[in-house]
Amino acid sequence: DEYQDINRASAKLVQTLAGDGKGLWCVGDLRQAIYRFRGASPANVTHFLTDFPHGKRADLQVNYRSRPHLVQLFGAASGEGVSAW
């Protein structure tokens, strides 16, 4: 699952298994955190580098899931300037 969809207990389990995060890679999008009813929190994404000091973070610059005109519209409205395929 995507990292924003896990709860804090699951994040701690990943931390126990992955240690300092060397070699750990995950995907998360704060704007898509929808599982609060089961304890998921976008804070897990926010705290990723604190939980895994040797993990790496990279921002995805291209949205391949949505149609280009929607990406441009929401990118302009949010000020993020996200590009579409």
Side-chain angles (χ1 to χ4, degrees):
D1 209 349
E2 295 173 340
Y3 204 69
Q4 78 276 358
D5 295 334
I6 65 173
N7 59 32
R8 196 64 191 148
S10 296
K12 288 298 190 181
L13 176 62
V14 172
Q15 191 175 25
T16 298
L17 296 172
D20 64 4
K22 187 176 181 181
L24 180 64
W25 186 89
C26 71
V27 173
D29 185 342
L30 297 173
R31 296 166 293 187
Q32 293 187 25
I34 60 174
Y35 293 107
R36 279 206 181 271
F37 67 91
R38 67 177 196 201
S41 172
N44 290 317
V45 176
T46 305
H47 297 296
F48 179 77
L49 291 177
T50 302
D51 290 345
F52 304 102
H54 293 283
K56 292 190 180 178
R57 177 186 168 155
D59 294 326
L60 299 177
Q61 299 299 316
V62 178
N63 180 329
Y64 294 100
R65 293 176 90 179
S66 303
R67 294 179 182 220
H69 67 280
L70 291 175
V71 173
Q72 291 166 355
L73 173 68
F74 287 107
S78 70
E80 293 184 18
V82 179
S83 62
W85 356 301

